Amino acid sequence: MRRKTHKVALRRLRSGDDEFCFQLHRSALGEYVEAIWGWDESAQREHHEKNFDAEHTQIITVDGHDAGVLTVEDTGSDVVLGRIELDPVYQGRGFGGHVVLSLVTEAASRGQAVVLEILDVNKRAKIFYERIGFVETGRPREHKIALRYPPP
């Protein structure tokens, strides 16, 4: 039997995407935020409004449907993967891996590393990134693990 091929793409933010990104954050990472700090809706919304990086954020689409969010900043020396979140419906199906591997390949073609931080309670993310080849480079802040590809 032949596997269905899906079209994974990125698109620029549009009006209304800010709320999509907040709701996505709740569904994709809410359990990890809850485990560390507890989920306080108003505090999380305030944090999102203050820290949402619209300039460096794109929406991940799968077959034309909004499926996730990607925030990337090129610092010149490194590519910082600030955020990748997928709706749980799209998780575990290779879409996140496709996006991250494309990012790694593009950065490598320019001689850049990809760096990121994850929450230490997010064991799935750590396994995911290590499977791709990222290595832990430290614990820069409480509850955070820094990762890098390629290894230093």
Side-chain angles (χ1 to χ4, degrees):
M1 183 154 79
R2 191 169 172 214
R3 286 181 69 182
K4 181 176 178 357
T5 318
H6 296 278
K7 181 175 178 3
V8 180
L10 298 173
R11 70 163 178 80
R12 293 189 184 281
L13 290 179
R14 303 189 288 237
S15 177
D17 283 340
D18 182 59
E19 182 62 21
F20 168 78
C21 292
F22 177 76
Q23 297 299 332
L24 177 67
H25 178 68
R26 180 193 297 144
S27 65
L29 289 183
E31 70 182 279
Y32 305 112
V33 172
E34 176 76 32
I36 296 171
W37 300 286
W39 184 274
D40 177 308
E41 184 76 12
S42 61
Q44 287 299 316
R45 187 165 291 280
E46 182 179 324
H47 179 78
H48 175 76
E49 288 170 4
K50 283 183 182 175
N51 297 294
F52 183 66
D53 184 1
E55 181 183 349
H56 299 105
T57 298
Q58 294 179 289
I59 300 298
I60 301 167
T61 65
V62 176
D63 298 331
H65 301 282
D66 294 349
V69 62
L70 177 71
T71 303
V72 176
E73 185 174 356
D74 187 334
T75 66
S77 58
D78 293 321
V79 172
V80 180
L81 174 52
R83 178 175 173 187
I84 181 170
E85 295 172 355
L86 286 175
D87 183 302
V89 170
Y90 293 95
Q91 292 177 8
R93 299 173 56 193
F95 304 127
H98 173 82
V99 171
V100 173
L101 287 171
S102 295
L103 183 65
V104 163
T105 301
E106 184 180 318
S109 74
R110 296 189 306 264
Q112 294 173 296
V114 176
V115 296
L116 61 105
E117 292 180 4
I118 59 171
L119 294 172
D120 59 4
V121 296
N122 191 343
K123 306 298 183 211
R124 280 184 65 200
K126 190 162 190 293
I127 290 167
F128 167 78
Y129 287 112
E130 288 176 341
R131 188 175 62 237
I132 291 173
F134 282 80
V135 295
E136 182 176 334
T137 58
R139 306 272 174 137
R141 298 179 285 158
E142 187 177 21
H143 304 297
K144 295 286 187 156
I145 299 172
L147 299 165
R148 175 187 168 96
Y149 183 94

